[in-house]
Amino acid sequence: MKFAEDQVVEDDTGFQDNEESFFQDIDLLQKHGINMADIKKLKSVGICTVKGIQMTTRKALCNIKGLSEAKVEKIKEAAGKMLQNVGFQTAFEYSARRKQVFHVTTGSQEFDKLLGGGIESMAITEAFGEFRTGKTQLSHTLCVTAQLPGEDGYSGGKVIFIDTENTFRPDRLRDIADRFNVDHDAVLDNVLYARAYTSEHQMELLDFVAAKFHEEGGVFKLLIIDSIMALFRVDFSGRGELAERQQKLAQMLSRLQKISEEYNVAVFVTNQMTADPGAGMTFQADPKKPIGGHILAHASTTRISLRKGRGEMRIAKIFDSPDMPENEATFAISGGGVTDAKE
């Protein structure tokens, strides 16, 4: 396999060199003696790349209807031969691969600075806060900004929006498009929208998302889920179902993380808050905390806490990040979406 030095994406032609690491089509398994019927079965559950096989356990593959253990072994072996990178690579090689990471601007320079450039690709960024703190407004703004060419050669691309709370409004996108002087219809055309009704439906939509990202390799840049936990909160109630809920949530977040790495897209999710009844006993200033527990806390690469300021002002704070310091930034919500706060 070529090493990562050759894999820096410069432009669309760069994507061709890049195919080796990113969009290695599952159909290539035919050369290694895997028949087309089995490849179709893998595609039906959203496994469309050779890397996708590496990211799926043997147990999960055996659960696919029509795949026996012997077949799964053969598929795994073929994928291993094609990837040959199951081992280690130096930090230098990995840093060259990280050059493919891009950032989607939030619409506010202050906010971007806080995040080190914007919403990062190959990662899950979670924004949590109470109602009226700007989570959905931020989601809508990102739908438009992700389509605009940005810094470091970012070319812009399409967006997928999964809505669990029925808060998506195409008219908001028109207002935000006006601010950036872009055509309404073009903006709306580049956003694929799906409404999820149950946590299971939400998980099934991810199979469609993976297939879509694969079908149009390199075209989609951002996946938004607003909000990630709402349906889990409804489908699983009480402590009796908590373990099952967290297990299902962990599987979904793992899938999201894999999708973001497999197709080099940014994943942005919003989350709700809950009052912590036990916090009153301690001297905690803010007894509210994001829901989803430790599972969600560990799965999110970057967590942003949003709170309300004066008037239209909102304050974003880095709650957890592998490379950003814990700072705060103030931004405003205007008719044109998220902007810089006017002092």
Side-chain angles (χ1 to χ4, degrees):
M1 181 186 162
K2 263 191 298 187
F3 268 110
E5 282 95 325
D6 319 327
Q7 295 174 4
V8 180
V9 181
E10 295 301 339
D11 53 281
D12 288 345
T13 53
F15 257 115
Q16 307 314 311
D17 309 337
N18 199 29
E19 301 260 301
E20 184 138 23
S21 66
F22 266 106
F23 307 110
Q24 224 176 355
D25 200 301
I26 202 168
D27 292 345
L28 296 171
L29 284 176
Q30 276 181 287
K31 292 177 189 167
H32 292 263
I34 308 297
N35 68 41
M36 202 57 208
D38 291 341
I39 291 173
K40 277 200 175 121
K41 284 168 194 162
L42 292 169
K43 282 185 175 175
S44 70
V45 292
I47 301 170
C48 304
T49 64
V50 179
K51 205 170 176 191
I53 294 170
Q54 197 186 19
M55 290 174 169
T56 313
T57 60
R58 282 177 170 78
K59 186 180 167 191
L61 289 173
C62 287
N63 286 340
I64 299 169
K65 201 174 174 193
L67 289 189
S68 64
E69 273 185 47
K71 272 183 185 173
V72 166
E73 270 312 314
K74 200 175 166 194
I75 290 168
K76 276 282 190 187
E77 198 180 320
K81 275 184 199 157
M82 285 174 73
L83 287 164
Q84 292 174 348
N85 64 346
V86 200
F88 289 88
Q89 57 189 144
T90 65
F92 179 75
E93 286 156 9
Y94 184 62
S95 82
R97 188 167 178 267
R98 288 280 301 169
K99 284 184 183 156
Q100 296 166 356
V101 170
F102 58 82
H103 291 87
V104 176
T105 171
T106 57
S108 155
Q109 288 179 345
E110 279 292 300
F111 201 168
D112 285 349
K113 209 187 293 176
L114 178 77
L115 294 170
I119 306 296
E120 188 182 47
S121 74
M122 287 203 224
I124 298 175
T125 305
E126 176 204 346
F128 65 84
E130 292 180 87
F131 59 96
R132 283 202 326 145
T133 50
K135 302 186 297 292
T136 298
Q137 296 308 317
L138 182 54
S139 304
H140 281 71
T141 308
L142 288 169
C143 279
V144 179
T145 58
Q147 299 179 34
L148 308 172
E151 291 174 12
D152 301 326
Y154 172 63
S155 57
K158 293 185 177 181
V159 181
I160 291 186
F161 194 111
I162 296 177
D163 181 10
T164 65
E165 299 177 315
N166 196 20
T167 49
F168 180 73
R169 299 289 180 270
D171 289 344
R172 277 300 285 136
L173 296 189
R174 289 194 178 94
D175 296 342
I176 298 164
D178 282 341
R179 171 185 157 198
F180 292 103
N181 299 321
V182 280
D183 182 57
H184 291 184
D185 296 349
V187 163
L188 293 177
D189 238 6
N190 287 332
V191 179
L192 264 191
Y193 169 79
R195 170 90 166 90
Y197 294 99
T198 66
S199 55
E200 279 175 11
H201 184 204
Q202 196 172 328
M203 189 72 177
E204 282 159 16
L205 284 173
L206 291 186
D207 287 346
F208 170 80
V209 166
K212 202 72 188 152
F213 283 168
H214 180 72
E215 197 181 300
E216 301 182 39
V219 173
F220 285 91
K221 299 291 184 189
L222 177 67
L223 167 63
I224 298 172
I225 303 182
D226 181 25
S227 87
I228 187 103
M229 284 296 301
L231 297 174
F232 284 94
R233 236 178 174 178
V234 175
D235 295 351
F236 301 92
S237 53
R239 291 229 162 150
E241 294 182 346
L242 185 62
E244 192 189 346
R245 181 190 88 169
Q246 293 302 82
Q247 214 172 359
K248 291 269 193 291
L249 176 64
Q251 284 164 2
M252 182 166 151
L253 291 165
S254 157
R255 189 76 210 277
L256 274 178
Q257 187 63 55
K258 285 169 185 171
I259 285 174
S260 74
E261 285 180 41
E262 200 176 340
Y263 300 104
N264 189 17
V265 292
V267 175
F268 177 75
V269 302
T270 67
N271 191 14
Q272 304 169 338
M273 303 279 279
T274 180
D276 184 357
M281 311 303 286
T282 60
F283 295 100
Q284 224 175 314
D286 189 9
K288 292 178 292 298
K289 60 180 188 182
I291 57 177
H294 293 289
I295 298 262
L296 187 51
H298 291 303
S300 306
T301 317
T302 303
R303 303 191 94 188
I304 311 158
S305 138
L306 301 176
R307 63 180 199 273
K308 208 173 170 339
R310 289 198 316 274
E312 291 304 308
M313 303 281 216
R314 302 288 184 272
I315 298 133
K317 182 185 179 192
I318 293 276
F319 202 71
D320 171 34
S321 166
D323 53 356
M324 290 292 131
E326 274 198 23
N327 275 337
E328 287 192 353
T330 307
F331 64 95
I333 293 171
S334 67
V338 170
T339 61
D340 278 316
K342 293 179 182 67
E343 291 307 325

